[in-house]
Amino acid sequence: MNLQLLVLPVVTSASWLTNLFSWTPGELQFDLGSTPRLVSNQSLFPAEYRESMEWGTYRPGVYFGVKGRHQGSLLMGLAWGNLDGKVLRHECQSGELQSFNWLEHDGEHFAIQSIEDEKLGLQLQTTFVKDPSAPGRSWQARVESSQLAAEGKERPVSFFLYLGVEASDGISLSEDSKHAKWSDSEDGFWRGSLRLSGIDAVKGRFTARVLFRLDASKSDPQKQPVRWRRVSARVQHETEPTEPEAKLTGVWDAKKHLQQYLQKTGGAAAEPAQKPGEQGKKTVKQAVLPDKDFHDTQNFVALQILARPSAGLRVELHVNFGEENALTDDELSKKLDAHVLASSAAFEKRLSETFPGGSQQSAVKSAVSGLLGGLGHFQGRLLAKQAENEEELERLPAAVLFSGVPSRSFFPRGFLWDEGFHGL
């Protein structure tokens, strides 16, 4: 990874600083208009660098999410919860999980994260990697689940993968995918595949293939697993004109959208008997997506699978801009594996060269990965007072910030106090 620092030009006159903070007894004024304007500098950020940094885990406030560094970007995210929907994990919350840590993160091409959810008996590993030959046009994500502890009662978990575009419309599920079913394979797994397509506001047309895999040995081999469910809708988005004081939302606000469309049913899945030796099964309330398109054009698609953690659910997302990838599902998975192995080896090599000394290598890897995994891309209009004696807040002009966050759970956004000193 090439670390590039943003350096402001040296200002020979301090007049702009004097104007920025003008102090009189009892009065402090802050004037953004007097600060020097930073313009695009091709020598600082050449096209190759911008292309390689276009996509990333730039949503540090959620447990796992990917987006681009531009307005109207395609984005994806992960959520999970219990069957009745009363527990739904999405945004990073202090004390909600036992741990969620980036194990490896190079800040540019590749990231692996471990998540432990003791309450739901679930362990997740998330992976993000770009195609090194086309980092701005092709990337992959993978989520793998396992049982956190073998002892104790195991309950099914509801998994959600969602994709969206911050525009009026721009994503849809193919018609054949709406009726797709699991298929068994000779290697002992149930497999499923879906195809989506859409338009990103800046990068153009894209296709996305979603691959599911379940261990057939953990379920009845003669019976297909519970079919995945879906919802497609048009939700309010960031670039949509809104009143200045309107409550801000967007495709990124996925937990809100999922809760809106989840429907309670008493139905399909059943829990094993509670007591040893008890015969039969008891049904439990489930919160499921309605398998429905709510609007003619959509900018939000969510997929849901109900599965036990021990069934080893694996979900992959393969995104490609431009022409659709002609590889088979199996070839896509093998390609992802190869990219991960190569990226992990390169990360380890660069880490050992930059921070020599094997005894502390584990701590160094954790610290560097956590820092780079906190990078986020933000855009919008800040609320600010125009004068000290005024109570009403007004929105400043739209701005963009690409920065690390102090904390993914406690403060998952750029810290303007720090950013001010970085700029100075």
Side-chain angles (χ1 to χ4, degrees), residues 9 15 48 52 67 69 87 102 111 148 205 211 225 275 285 288 316 322 328 347-348 400 405 420:
S15 60
E48 182 181 357
S52 69
K67 72 183 293 288
R69 296 200 309 170
V87 175
W102 291 109
L148 186 59
R205 186 167 296 278
L211 310 181
K275 299 178 181 178
K285 289 288 185 181
V288 297
E316 293 178 2
T328 66
F347 175 69
E348 292 279 2
V400 174
V405 301

Side-chain angles (χ1 to χ4, degrees), residues 178-255:
K178 295 178 182 179
H179 309 288
K181 297 181 179 180
W182 293 95
S183 61
D184 56 344
S185 55
E186 296 180 354
D187 58 0
F189 291 99
W190 290 101
R191 298 180 184 274
S193 178
L194 305 177
R195 179 183 175 278
L196 300 96
S197 61
I199 299 176
D200 179 281
V202 173
K203 304 297 289 184
R205 186 167 296 278
F206 66 87
T207 56
R209 215 180 306 176
V210 183
L211 310 181
F212 302 119
R213 193 187 77 174
L214 276 171
D215 189 343
S217 66
K218 303 296 183 181
S219 58
D220 186 348
Q222 304 302 319
K223 182 180 178 182
Q224 282 204 5
V226 176
R227 184 180 173 276
W228 53 80
R229 300 180 69 92
R230 64 176 178 85
V231 68
S232 300
R234 182 193 181 282
V235 301
Q236 185 177 343
H237 54 86
E238 283 185 348
T239 59
E240 200 165 28
T242 59
E243 293 298 322
E245 297 304 320
K247 182 178 180 181
L248 295 182
T249 186
V251 174
W252 52 266
D253 200 2
K255 183 175 182 178

Side-chain angles (χ1 to χ4, degrees), residues 12 278 372 389 405:
T12 56
E278 182 180 341
L372 296 177
N389 58 351
V405 301

